[in-house]
């Protein structure tokens, strides 16, 4: 709002677009088609309360209340395997937050191990908030934000007049796009959807048995 938004979140948008380009070129070179539909989304209104992603979820995936909380699922919700998000600046990916979804730990470990030499190795069960993966997580879809090097994101560029092009790190953005492209293709080629956490009403029912 006071600069060009290069690290928040031109960087994340550019990385996702580059990941899509990498996937397209891989398909062209190998002839191997993804087994699932791949969809790229660049959201508006995140700073105002995840408005863009929440509107998408409400229209296509689930009935939600005014706070974005799950009320009832729609048929499309059952078809989505995963949602991946990048929204913490220009820093390279160091790992991924599991968002409390223990069922994906070993899957992600297998996918992340090839990138150890690119300094991406951390998997944590922890949650992280403040960005659009929360809209999907709230309605039962496995949704993840990647762990990134902070660089000068929180201390200098985030929501400041220094959030300009010259604070982007090209090699870090390339590293992130490569890892995300790999995660997306692995997800698309699985026989099954990624494991899911229980929805709030399912947890309540389990507790009463």
């Amino acid at each position: 709002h006071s600069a060009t938004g290069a690290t928040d979140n031109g960087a994340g948008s550019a990385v996702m677009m580059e990941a899509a380009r990498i996937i397209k070129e891989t398909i062209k070179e190998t002839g191997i088609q993804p087994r699932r539909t791949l969809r790229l989304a660049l959201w508006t209104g995140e700073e105002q309360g995840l408005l863009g992603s929440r509107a998408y979820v409400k229209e296509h995936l689930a009935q939600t209340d005014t706070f974005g909380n799950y009320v009832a699922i729609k048929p499309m919700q059952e078809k989505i395997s995963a949602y991946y998000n990048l929204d913490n600046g220009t820093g390279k990916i160091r790992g991924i937050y599991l968002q409390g979804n223990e069922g994906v730990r070993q899957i992600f470990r297998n996918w992340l191990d090839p990138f150890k030499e690119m300094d991406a190795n951390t998997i944590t069960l922890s949650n992280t908030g403040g960005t659009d993966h929360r809209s999907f997580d709230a309605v039962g879809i496995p949704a993840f934000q990647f762990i990134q090097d902070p660089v000068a994101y929180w201390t200098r560029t985030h929501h400041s007049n220094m959030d300009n092009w010259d604070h982007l790190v090209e090699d870090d953005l390339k590293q992130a796009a490569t890892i995300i492209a790999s995660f997306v293709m692995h997800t698309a080629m699985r026989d099954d959807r990624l494991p899911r956490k229980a929805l709030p009403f399912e947890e309540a029912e389990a507790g009463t048995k």
Side-chain angles (χ1 to χ4, degrees):
H1 60 283
S2 56
T4 61
T7 66
D8 187 27
N9 188 28
S13 297
V15 164
M16 291 301 182
M17 293 168 70
E18 175 63 5
R21 188 197 66 81
I22 291 170
I23 291 169
K24 183 178 179 181
E25 290 300 314
T26 301
I27 293 169
K28 187 186 301 184
E29 290 180 11
T30 64
I32 298 173
Q33 293 290 329
R35 296 170 65 189
R36 293 181 177 272
T37 299
L38 310 182
R39 185 165 294 168
L40 170 67
L42 308 178
W43 305 114
T44 189
E46 187 259 12
E47 299 287 357
Q48 291 73 39
L50 313 183
L51 298 184
S53 56
R54 282 183 173 179
Y56 181 90
V57 166
K58 191 168 187 176
E59 181 174 353
H60 299 287
L61 306 178
Q63 297 177 32
T64 58
D65 61 21
T66 55
F67 300 102
N69 297 314
Y70 162 87
V71 175
I73 62 171
K74 295 182 179 182
M76 184 62 72
Q77 189 264 13
E78 294 284 352
K79 297 182 179 181
I80 296 178
S81 181
Y83 172 92
Y84 298 106
N85 202 83
L86 193 76
D87 185 25
N88 287 144
T90 190
K92 66 171 61 174
I93 287 175
R94 293 294 189 173
I96 193 167
Y97 296 98
L98 297 187
Q99 206 69 24
N101 187 346
E102 182 63 39
V104 299
R105 181 185 294 275
Q106 190 55 52
I107 296 168
F108 284 179
R109 171 51 62 204
N110 293 339
W111 295 354
L112 199 58
D113 276 351
F115 298 104
K116 285 182 178 179
E117 292 185 0
M118 297 174 72
D119 301 319
N121 190 45
T122 300
I123 294 176
T124 175
L125 192 61
S126 299
N127 299 334
T128 185
T131 191
D132 290 293
H133 70 289
R134 296 299 297 268
S135 300
F136 295 82
D137 179 70
V139 298
I141 291 169
F144 309 97
Q145 166 77 13
F146 290 91
I147 303 167
Q148 293 176 258
D149 265 350
V151 190
Y153 185 66
W154 297 110
T155 58
R156 184 164 295 179
T157 65
H158 183 251
H159 293 188
S160 84
N161 62 354
M162 299 185 73
D163 192 5
N164 293 310
W165 172 264
D166 57 342
H167 286 93
L168 298 181
V169 181
E170 182 178 350
D171 286 345
D172 287 1
L173 300 178
K174 290 178 179 178
Q175 182 255 25
T178 301
I179 292 172
I180 291 173
S182 177
F183 265 64
V184 169
M185 278 300 287
H186 276 303
T187 305
M189 300 305 288
R190 282 176 53 84
D191 290 335
D192 302 314
R193 300 176 313 180
L194 287 181
R196 296 186 167 204
K197 299 185 295 186
L199 283 162
F201 82 93
E202 293 171 334
E203 292 176 342
E205 288 179 354
T208 60
K209 292 180 181 178

